[in-house]
Amino acid sequence: MTAPLIEARDIAVRFGGLVAVAGVSLTIQPGDICCIVGPNGAGKSTFFNVLTGTVKPTSGEIRLGGEDFTGRPIHAFARNGVARKFQVPSVFPSLSVADNLRVAQRRGADEMALADVLDLLGLTQDAERPAGILAHGQKQWLEIGMALATEPKVLLLDEPTAGMGPEETQRTVRLIREIGSRSAVAVIEHDMEFVRALGVRTLVLHQGRVIAEGSFEVVASDERVRDVYLGRG
Amino acid sequence: MTETATAVPLRVGAGASRTSTRSIISFMVIAALFAYPLVLSPYQMDVARDALIFALLALSLDFLWGKAGILSFGQAAYFGIGAYAVAIVGPMIPNDNAALAGMVAGIATAVLVAAIVGYFLIYGGVRGAYLTIVTLALTLIARNIATSWASVTGGEAGLIGAPPPGIAIGDWSIVASDSISLYLLVAIILAVALLAVWTVCNGRYGRVLIAIQDDEAKARALGYNTSGHLLLVFVLSAGLAALAGGLYASVAGYVAPDLVGLLLSTQAIVHVALGGRGSLIGPVVATVVVIRLQQEVSSYSYALWPLMLGAFFIAMVFLFPNGLLPLFTRLADSIFGRSDGGRT
């Protein structure tokens, strides 16, 4: 039995008097796809920041591949295969799409892998166009592709469908499923339609705590989740 | 399967043909630079030679400003360090390696100064206009040293007796002293420097530099030591500027405080801006054209040139902010019928 890629145990984060995350645990195994949902201010992004090493937890422990990484710097997480896509799409606008991916391939150029990622993103025809002129959704995909080009073990995506229309969202769902066959993926979302379409293990955070966990159907039928999402009415 | 099934082969063609147009143009320009003086009088050849030295200075700035995004007023300081090193160290060396020794000393000093100043600034997170202002101070300090430390630098009068470029190995030695050989020496050094910078910037390294210019935080998140990359370019560019300064002192035979002035830095910035920042060959061509033009205009009236330069600068900012080179390439593309030339 190999150690899980990421194992977060009883993570708590306090900013002064504010408790952002209050004892959340999550284990990501190779091949996992999971989703973290919750209303604004539920502590999703803070928890994510702990998983990528951006924020040090006030208490709790984070292990990568069985090794304790609590309190280690961001680049240590990055070098151990944790890649992250930020909420705001950030690509290099003056480089071509292909060159964006080449820059992301830090371990050395690999044109085969490059063509493969382009194909996966559906950006093969745009490979030589500057990334700055891509549509918003395409930039989001390109950034996911850049994270993928670093050959991560775990890909963490923060609201990958932010600002996307329904069609683009559907494509993103397919893209994430496809990526799931290469590396473990964890996604933050608050769009329930997206989470329904993805249909994977789902954690619901509310006020810094996990209030439900399980398959989407289980989570969606949970009373407390309904309360939080739909209001009591 | 999804949309991926409809994917068409990679369009490498468009990018490759544009790159080859660029390299053909570059090669033609370099060849023209070599041929140009052979039809001129020795005096004109000397003017052309000096223009190429200032083109080398412009190249050093374009490497830093165009490729790493750091606008520097400090190039004249490094140019001055290179020039004064040849005039001060050179005469201490008895054989024909004098100029060479001076240049090595000058480049080493400039690289050291740039490394120290650049390390604290760049690793300290200083970027953009703030960094530019410090480089401005660097040139002002260098200018003050050149005028005030008269016992070493000769003060306002400068120094004469900078040794001409030469090489001595054992009993054998060669010194460039006539106009043709001096011109060719400068042209070869410029061509080699241009090709070296161009090669470096067209590879993987150039891509990383563009990425840093676009979004340094993102490049860092991908695992690049962005400060290290910027410092390296800062230091290499200083070395290149010092080489230009050393060459100037060596071929001219004298140095004066003018070689360290803010005017020289500003001139280099104008040349780079005119030629097209980041195009490398553009600033080189612009320098030669501008100096030729300056000579022509000044023969009518001394007052006219600064006026024209100012008007031109304003026109450039408003009408063609990317410099003149993109205009010419677009023209060339439309003549040769490349439909994708103006797309970016």
Side-chain angles (χ1 to χ4, degrees):
Chain A
M1 172 90 197
T2 54
L5 295 173
I6 294 186
E7 192 179 9
R9 242 183 262 156
D10 284 326
I11 298 294
V13 182
R14 277 189 292 276
F15 299 113
L18 176 79
V19 181
V21 179
V24 176
S25 298
L26 174 70
T27 303
I28 300 176
Q29 300 281 358
D32 271 0
I33 305 183
C34 70
C35 219
I36 301 170
V37 300
N40 285 330
K44 298 179 306 250
S45 287
T46 307
F47 182 59
F48 233 50
N49 283 335
V50 173
L51 295 182
T52 54
T54 317
V55 167
K56 289 174 188 170
T58 315
S59 66
E61 188 184 53
I62 177 145
R63 291 174 167 276
L64 300 186
E67 196 186 330
D68 190 2
F69 269 68
T70 319
R72 296 193 56 185
I74 307 173
H75 63 81
F77 279 75
R79 288 187 191 152
N80 278 277
V82 178
R84 177 190 192 162
K85 184 214 160 293
F86 290 88
Q87 202 168 333
V88 180
S90 64
V91 297
F92 302 119
S94 18
L95 285 174
S96 72
V97 170
D99 280 347
N100 264 276
L101 295 168
R102 287 191 188 105
V103 168
Q105 291 178 327
R106 270 199 73 224
R107 288 174 198 183
D110 182 349
E111 292 295 313
M112 288 289 286
L114 180 80
D116 185 42
V117 172
L118 280 171
D119 192 46
L120 183 66
L121 300 176
L123 289 173
T124 305
Q125 295 180 53
D126 299 302
E128 298 304 324
R129 300 174 77 195
I133 64 170
L134 291 179
H136 176 81
Q138 291 176 311
K139 280 184 191 158
Q140 296 269 35
W141 294 329
L142 175 57
E143 205 195 345
I144 293 173
M146 287 165 76
L148 203 56
T150 64
E151 296 177 15
K153 290 182 191 136
V154 188
L155 185 58
L156 301 169
L157 306 172
D158 195 348
E159 300 201 10
T161 65
M164 282 188 182
E167 238 172 77
E168 287 178 321
T169 302
Q170 287 307 314
R171 275 213 55 178
T172 308
V173 168
R174 289 200 292 272
L175 181 60
I176 290 172
R177 286 217 188 102
E178 184 67 39
I179 290 169
S181 63
R182 299 153 189 246
S183 75
V185 185
V187 189
I188 287 187
E189 250 316 330
H190 61 213
D191 173 6
M192 276 311 215
E193 277 314 304
F194 169 81
V195 182
R196 186 197 309 278
L198 199 58
V200 295
R201 179 161 68 106
T202 304
L203 261 80
V204 184
L205 288 190
H206 181 54
Q207 293 176 345
R209 295 180 184 281
V210 179
I211 57 166
E213 184 173 1
S215 71
F216 180 79
E217 287 74 22
V218 170
V219 164
S221 58
D222 187 285
E223 273 305 313
R224 280 194 295 174
V225 175
R226 287 169 164 261
D227 282 350
V228 166
Y229 263 91
L230 305 172
R232 297 179 179 88
Chain B
M1 283 306 284
T2 59
E3 290 88 327
T4 52
T6 63
V8 297
L10 254 172
R11 285 201 349 180
V12 285
S17 73
R18 211 178 313 159
T19 315
S20 68
T21 318
R22 273 268 168 87
S23 35
I24 288 167
I25 291 173
S26 307
F27 181 78
M28 274 162 44
V29 169
I30 291 166
L33 285 176
F34 275 96
Y36 178 54
L38 302 174
V39 296
L40 298 175
S41 68
Y43 169 72
Q44 290 285 11
M45 216 181 291
D46 292 351
V47 172
R49 178 200 70 206
D50 289 352
L52 291 194
I53 292 174
F54 291 119
L56 186 58
L57 180 67
L59 175 68
S60 83
L61 178 66
D62 195 28
F63 185 31
L64 183 61
W65 187 23
K67 297 299 182 184
I70 299 172
L71 172 58
S72 166
F73 277 91
Q75 299 312 101
Y78 308 127
F79 188 90
I81 289 171
Y84 273 92
V86 168
I88 294 167
V89 175
M92 298 175 188
I93 310 292
N95 61 23
D96 288 334
N97 281 328
L100 202 61
M103 281 184 212
V104 169
I107 291 170
T109 310
V111 161
L112 193 68
V113 168
I116 292 169
V117 172
Y119 176 81
F120 287 108
L121 291 172
I122 293 172
Y123 274 86
V126 179
R127 297 286 187 277
Y130 302 101
L131 189 50
T132 302
I133 285 169
V134 179
T135 62
L136 192 89
L138 200 64
T139 290
L140 292 177
I141 292 168
R143 171 66 181 243
N144 267 313
I145 292 173
T147 49
S148 319
W149 198 11
S151 58
V152 175
T153 63
E156 290 289 354
L159 294 169
I160 53 165
I167 288 180
I169 300 167
D171 289 337
W172 176 85
S173 76
I174 184 167
V175 175
S177 51
D178 61 304
S179 290
I180 289 185
S181 49
L182 283 175
Y183 175 85
L184 283 177
L185 176 76
V186 170
I188 288 167
I189 289 175
L190 174 63
V192 169
L194 184 59
L195 281 175
V197 176
W198 189 79
T199 308
V200 166
C201 289
N202 264 323
R204 190 175 166 69
Y205 197 69
R207 266 202 303 271
V208 174
L209 289 180
I210 296 173
I212 292 174
Q213 272 202 67
D214 269 5
D215 189 341
E216 196 184 336
K218 172 80 179 173
R220 212 181 295 136
L222 286 172
Y224 289 98
N225 179 359
T226 56
S227 294
H229 286 297
L230 293 179
L231 181 62
L232 184 65
V233 176
F234 193 75
V235 165
L236 288 177
S237 151
L240 215 52
L243 170 67
L247 267 179
Y248 187 87
S250 181
V251 300
Y254 70 92
V255 293
D258 281 353
L259 298 180
V260 207
L262 214 48
L263 188 66
L264 189 65
S265 274
T266 311
Q267 243 173 34
I269 289 171
V270 170
H271 294 158
V272 172
L274 275 177
R277 180 158 90 84
S279 64
L280 299 180
I281 187 75
V284 168
V285 176
T287 308
V288 174
V289 170
V290 168
I291 288 177
R292 183 80 191 86
L293 212 63
Q294 179 177 7
Q295 213 196 350
E296 209 58 45
V297 172
S298 298
S299 64
Y300 293 110
S301 156
Y302 274 114
L304 205 56
W305 176 246
L307 270 176
M308 280 185 62
L309 198 64
F312 203 58
F313 198 70
I314 292 168
M316 192 195 75
V317 169
F318 284 109
L319 300 176
F320 33 93
N322 293 324
L324 289 174
L325 188 77
L327 292 183
F328 289 126
T329 36
R330 215 173 306 155
L331 193 69
D333 283 341
S334 65
I335 290 169
F336 299 122
R338 275 194 219 294
S339 55
D340 62 348
R343 200 176 54 183
T344 48

